[in-house]
Amino acid sequence: MRIDILTLFPEMFSGVLSASMLGRARESGLLAVETHDIRAFTQNKHNKADDYPFGGGAGLVMMAQPIFDCMDRVLSDGMPARRILLTPRGRPLTTGLARCLARERRLVLLCGHYEGVDERVSAILDDEISIGDYVLTGGELPAMVLIDCVSRFIPGVLGSAESAEDESFSEGLLEYPQYTRPADFRGMQVPEVLLSGHHKNIEAWRRQQALEKTRRMRPELLGNHGKNL
Ligand code: ADE
């Protein structure tokens, strides 16, 4: 997959894109990511990419012109892309949406800033996505979250020992607790069933734990069906 990021702060991305799973995915050629500095496309003396909102109000609004020109340049190679704005006004990022985005050949991510983006930019967008009901200072961290989340569903990105499926949310439940060696750590024991080698019992225990955790932390995920569990 190819991902282009349109941002006022390209320097924010280097660490996240180089380490761990994303670093490996890029090295192996499964993922190609490039950042593009929106400010480089401004046409005014002070390289201003934002201005006061028409109608008044607090904060500054990102101007349409540098974004249109940056987008034009990025797409000038002719390769089609799904163009996405990261904004708290977008639809929520979920496992289902991430899985769907992982099937795209190319994404262009536009990171919003300040009080928002000139609404006319929506003419060159396919989607608007939020990573949660809270407001961050910009769309850069959400873009990183989206890239990380989507990359896990690109075949080959996770090693064979890892799985994007057997985890929290893949079944609509939070994940069961995990333990590793030693079996006794400072007097705290690993649950007996996990040492038993009895796969049916282990599976049943994990399911019961997942239900219990979900009921306590995220009861809304269980819906009506889960109320009596
Ligand atoms: N920009 C600021 N807050 C955001 C959020 N919660 N999701 C996506 N983009 C954002």
Side-chain angles (χ1 to χ4, degrees), residues 118-129:
D118 189 307
E119 189 64 26
R120 290 167 288 190
V121 167
S122 64
I124 54 166
L125 294 174
D126 301 300
D127 217 340
E128 299 184 18
I129 295 178

Side-chain angles (χ1 to χ4, degrees), residues 208-220:
Q208 178 265 322
Q209 290 284 316
L211 279 166
E212 178 55 29
K213 181 84 178 168
T214 309
R215 194 183 57 72
R216 252 188 304 129
M217 307 301 282
R218 300 288 306 276
E220 80 281 7

Side-chain angles (χ1 to χ4, degrees), residues 7 15 29 68 115 172 195:
T7 172
F68 269 68
E115 289 307 301
L195 309 174

Side-chain angles (χ1 to χ4, degrees), residues 86-88 112 129-139 142:
L86 282 307
T87 166
I129 295 178
S130 163
I131 63 158
D133 290 339
Y134 40 82
V135 180
L136 301 170
T137 53

Side-chain angles (χ1 to χ4, degrees):
M1 172 183 277
R2 172 170 176 154
I3 302 179
D4 294 278
I5 305 162
L6 279 53
T7 172
L8 289 168
F9 301 98
E11 69 278 9
M12 285 178 73
F13 288 87
S14 54
V16 166
L17 294 175
S18 304
S20 186
M21 179 200 83
L22 292 178
R24 266 186 284 133
R26 290 174 70 211
E27 273 168 28
S28 67
L30 290 166
L31 189 66
V33 187
E34 224 176 292
T35 55
H36 306 272
D37 188 352
I38 295 171
R39 203 176 299 283
F41 293 85
T42 53
Q43 290 176 346
N44 55 74
K45 238 190 3 230
H46 302 290
N47 298 119
K48 250 171 41 120
D50 53 83
D51 212 332
Y52 296 100
F54 280 124
L60 296 169
V61 177
M62 281 174 74
M63 295 157 66
Q65 174 271 316
I67 296 173
F68 269 68
D69 288 348
C70 187
M71 185 72 86
D72 280 350
R73 171 72 61 81
V74 167
L75 296 179
S76 63
D77 61 11
M79 183 179 176
R82 182 145 159 190
R83 302 156 300 174
I84 299 166
L85 171 68
L86 282 307
T87 166
R89 298 170 60 205
R91 64 192 175 111
L93 179 63
T94 60
T95 300
L97 180 53
R99 222 178 265 189
C100 170
L101 292 175
R103 290 196 288 267
E104 298 280 346
R105 282 188 61 211
R106 185 183 194 186
L107 302 177
V108 174
L109 305 179
L110 170 59
C111 304
H113 246 266
Y114 308 117
E115 289 307 301
V117 175
D118 189 307
E119 189 64 26
R120 290 167 288 190
V121 167
S122 64
I124 54 166
L125 294 174
D126 301 300
D127 217 340
E128 299 184 18
I129 295 178
S130 163
I131 63 158
D133 290 339
Y134 40 82
V135 180
L136 301 170
T137 53
E140 280 75 13
L141 288 168
M144 293 182 220
V145 168
L146 184 146
I147 293 168
D148 191 286
C149 181
V150 168
S151 298
R152 298 177 64 254
F153 293 104
I154 298 173
V157 166
L158 294 185
S160 55
E162 304 150 316
S163 160
E165 300 304 328
D166 186 24
E167 292 197 355
S168 294
F169 302 115
S170 68
E171 249 197 299
L173 294 178
L174 302 183
E175 202 187 12
Y176 49 77
Q178 298 273 30
Y179 300 84
T180 188
R181 287 185 288 186
D184 177 336
F185 175 68
R186 298 188 178 183
M188 294 178 281
Q189 312 296 328
V190 169
E192 198 61 47
V193 63
L194 298 178
L195 309 174
S196 70
H198 193 300
H199 295 297
K200 274 247 144 46
N201 287 354
I202 291 171
E203 204 180 305
W205 180 85
R206 285 179 164 167
R207 178 146 190 92
Q208 178 265 322
Q209 290 284 316
L211 279 166
E212 178 55 29
K213 181 84 178 168
T214 309
R215 194 183 57 72
R216 252 188 304 129
M217 307 301 282
R218 300 288 306 276
E220 80 281 7
L221 291 178
L222 296 170
N224 287 331
H225 151 81
K227 290 242 163 70
N228 302 319
L229 290 167

